[in-house]
Amino acid sequence: MVDARVLGLEPFESQVDLRGSLTSEYWVHVDYFPAHRGLDAQAEKAVIGTLGHGCIDDMTSPGSTFPWSATECRQYLGILQNFR
């Protein structure tokens, strides 16, 4: 068993209290990072298209308004392609 303090948690009165707190944190994590859902094919296409557009925009215009540089866009595109 792991001591709660090792996880950066304050001591709990009982194992039941600890379990209740960790269960709540688990569901908050699942809500924030929903990796259990698949990525819609149309959404994936849209993201790839948007990143491609942003990459080209950054490369061809001084003062692109796209939030990421061409280098960052290529990195993100590479990550998405590795998930396929």
Side-chain angles (χ1 to χ4, degrees):
M1 181 175 283
V2 175
D3 186 346
R5 288 171 287 206
V6 173
L7 300 174
L9 302 171
E10 295 296 320
F12 286 86
E13 292 294 320
S14 69
Q15 292 293 322
V16 172
D17 291 341
L18 174 61
R19 182 180 182 89
S21 180
L22 291 177
T23 299
S24 173
E25 291 296 322
Y26 169 79
W27 288 112
V28 167
H29 176 82
V30 168
D31 189 42
Y32 287 165
F33 304 99
H36 60 284
R37 298 181 200 152
L39 182 60
D40 179 77
Q42 291 296 85
E44 181 181 3
K45 247 178 135 170
V47 169
I48 289 171
T50 301
L51 287 170
H53 172 80
C55 181
I56 292 168
D57 185 52
D58 185 60
M59 291 170 57
T60 59
S61 66
S64 170
T65 58
F66 200 72
W68 300 293
S69 70
T71 301
E72 290 172 309
C73 290
R74 284 193 297 272
Q75 289 173 337
Y76 298 143
L77 286 167
I79 290 168
L80 287 170
Q81 290 170 352
N82 287 334
F83 281 125
R84 287 181 165 184

